[in-house]
Amino acid sequence: MSSATFRASYAGIGAMLRAPWMLENMVERAEIVARYAQETAPVGAGTPNDPAGGYRSGFKVVPVVRGGAKRNRAEALVVNDDSAAVHVEYGSAANPGRHTLLKALEILRAT
């Protein structure tokens, strides 16, 4: 019986982590998170000046070709550019945090 061996090609692993299909997969996953966050986002929460739902419509997916802590892999970010986003997510003295993005990210853990 022969034994199998594995030798990692770090250049190959790096190329895989930056491959176009990897970025596409990261974007697809981020879009799932963004969609769920948008569907569950409170309107008018976090600030009384948001009756039109600026927070809800502020979710965007940003693809990053060289992301990660070492800038060596594909990633996709879910961001919210509304001025109330930090207050809705983490709360303020007047309102508890809603943790909309955190809850949306947990959707991926279930899959």
Side-chain angles (χ1 to χ4, degrees):
M1 178 190 247
S2 64
S3 62
T5 60
F6 172 77
R7 291 190 187 160
S9 165
Y10 293 103
I13 293 170
M16 178 189 68
L17 291 174
R18 290 183 300 277
W21 59 265
M22 182 66 78
L23 181 61
E24 182 180 317
N25 186 269
M26 296 296 106
V27 168
E28 286 174 10
R29 291 170 179 269
E31 287 172 348
I32 292 168
V33 171
R35 223 174 6 258
Y36 184 82
Q38 193 168 31
E39 289 171 3
T40 61
V43 176
T47 176
N49 301 324
D50 185 30
Y55 174 69
R56 179 173 277 181
S57 62
F59 290 100
K60 309 277 186 284
V61 173
V62 179
V64 181
V65 175
R66 284 195 168 263
K70 296 181 180 180
R71 306 287 183 236
N72 62 353
R73 62 193 66 217
E75 74 177 5
L77 306 173
V78 179
V79 299
N80 190 307
D81 58 7
D82 186 67
S83 61
V86 70
H87 300 292
V88 176
E89 187 67 20
Y90 298 109
S92 64
N95 295 310
R98 299 293 183 102
H99 308 292
T100 305
L101 273 173
L102 177 64
K103 291 174 185 173
L105 186 58
E106 289 174 354
I107 292 298
L108 286 182
R109 288 187 195 169
T111 60

Coordinates of all heavy atoms in Angstrom, one line a residue, residues 1 5 7-8 10 19 26-27 47 54 57-58 61 67-68 73 79 82-83 92 94 97 109:
M1 N 0.8 -1.2 0.0 CA 0.0 0.0 0.0 C 0.9 1.2 0.0 O 1.8 1.4 0.8 CB -0.9 0.0 1.2 CG -1.8 1.2 1.4 SD -2.5 1.2 3.0 CE -4.2 1.0 2.6
T5 N 1.2 11.8 -0.3 CA 1.9 13.0 0.2 C 1.2 14.2 -0.4 O 0.7 14.2 -1.5 CB 3.4 13.0 -0.1 OG1 3.6 13.0 -1.5 CG2 4.0 11.8 0.6
R7 N 2.2 18.4 -1.0 CA 3.1 19.5 -0.9 C 2.4 20.7 -1.3 O 2.0 20.8 -2.5 CB 4.3 19.3 -1.8 CG 5.2 18.2 -1.2 CD 6.5 18.1 -2.0 NE 7.2 16.9 -1.5 CZ 8.2 16.4 -2.1 NH1 8.6 16.9 -3.3 NH2 8.8 15.3 -1.6
A8 N 2.2 21.7 -0.4 CA 1.5 22.9 -0.7 C 2.3 23.8 -1.7 O 3.5 24.0 -1.5 CB 1.1 23.6 0.5
Y10 N 2.4 27.4 -2.3 CA 1.9 28.7 -1.7 C 1.5 29.7 -2.8 O 0.6 30.4 -2.7 CB 2.8 29.2 -0.7 CG 2.9 28.3 0.5 CD1 4.0 27.5 0.7 CD2 1.9 28.2 1.4 CE1 4.0 26.6 1.8 CE2 1.9 27.4 2.5 CZ 3.0 26.6 2.7 OH 3.0 25.7 3.7
A19 N -8.3 34.4 -7.4 CA -8.9 34.1 -8.7 C -10.3 34.8 -8.9 O -11.0 35.1 -8.0 CB -9.1 32.5 -8.8
M26 N -17.3 35.4 -3.4 CA -17.4 36.3 -2.2 C -18.5 37.3 -2.4 O -19.2 37.7 -1.5 CB -16.1 36.9 -2.0 CG -14.9 36.0 -1.6 SD -15.2 35.2 0.0 CE -15.6 33.6 -0.5
V27 N -18.6 37.8 -3.7 CA -19.6 38.8 -4.0 C -21.0 38.2 -3.9 O -22.0 38.8 -3.3 CB -19.4 39.4 -5.4 CG1 -20.7 40.2 -5.9 CG2 -18.2 40.3 -5.4
T47 N -32.5 57.0 14.4 CA -32.5 58.5 14.2 C -33.9 58.9 13.8 O -34.6 58.3 13.0 CB -31.5 59.0 13.2 OG1 -31.7 60.4 13.0 CG2 -31.7 58.3 11.9
G54 N -33.4 55.8 4.7 CA -32.1 55.9 4.2 C -31.1 54.8 4.6 O -30.3 54.4 3.9
S57 N -31.9 51.6 2.5 CA -31.4 51.7 1.1 C -29.9 51.9 1.0 O -29.4 52.0 -0.1 CB -32.2 52.8 0.4 OG -31.9 54.1 1.0
G58 N -29.2 52.0 2.2 CA -27.8 52.3 2.1 C -26.9 51.2 2.0 O -25.7 51.3 2.0
V61 N -22.6 46.3 -1.7 CA -21.6 45.3 -1.8 C -20.4 45.8 -2.5 O -20.6 46.4 -3.6 CB -22.1 44.0 -2.5 CG1 -21.0 43.0 -2.6 CG2 -23.3 43.4 -1.7
G67 N -8.0 41.8 -0.8 CA -8.5 42.1 0.5 C -7.9 41.3 1.6 O -6.9 40.6 1.4
G68 N -8.5 41.2 2.7 CA -8.0 40.5 3.9 C -7.0 41.2 4.6 O -6.6 42.3 4.2
R73 N -6.0 38.2 -0.7 CA -7.2 37.4 -1.1 C -8.4 38.2 -1.6 O -8.5 39.4 -1.2 CB -7.6 36.5 0.0 CG -8.1 37.2 1.3 CD -8.1 36.4 2.5 NE -6.8 36.0 2.9 CZ -6.5 34.8 3.4 NH1 -7.5 33.9 3.6 NH2 -5.3 34.5 3.7
V79 N -21.4 47.1 3.1 CA -21.3 48.4 3.8 C -22.6 49.1 3.8 O -23.5 48.8 3.0 CB -20.2 49.3 3.2 CG1 -18.8 48.6 3.3 CG2 -20.5 49.6 1.7
D82 N -25.2 55.1 5.1 CA -26.1 56.1 5.7 C -25.4 56.6 7.0 O -24.8 55.9 7.7 CB -27.4 55.4 6.0 CG -28.4 56.4 6.5 OD1 -28.8 57.3 5.7 OD2 -28.8 56.3 7.7
S83 N -25.7 57.9 7.3 CA -25.1 58.5 8.5 C -25.6 57.9 9.8 O -24.9 57.9 10.8 CB -25.4 60.0 8.5 OG -26.7 60.2 8.5
S92 N -27.1 53.7 20.6 CA -26.7 55.0 21.2 C -27.2 55.1 22.6 O -27.9 54.1 23.1 CB -27.2 56.1 20.3 OG -28.6 56.1 20.3
A94 N -29.7 56.7 23.5 CA -31.2 56.7 23.5 C -31.8 55.4 22.9 O -33.0 55.1 23.2 CB -31.7 57.9 22.6
G97 N -28.8 48.9 20.2 CA -28.3 48.5 18.9 C -29.2 47.4 18.3 O -29.7 46.5 19.0
R109 N -23.8 31.5 8.2 CA -23.3 30.4 9.1 C -24.3 29.2 9.0 O -23.9 28.1 9.2 CB -23.2 30.9 10.5 CG -22.1 31.8 10.8 CD -22.0 32.1 12.2 NE -21.1 33.2 12.4 CZ -21.0 33.9 13.5 NH1 -21.7 33.5 14.6 NH2 -20.1 34.9 13.6

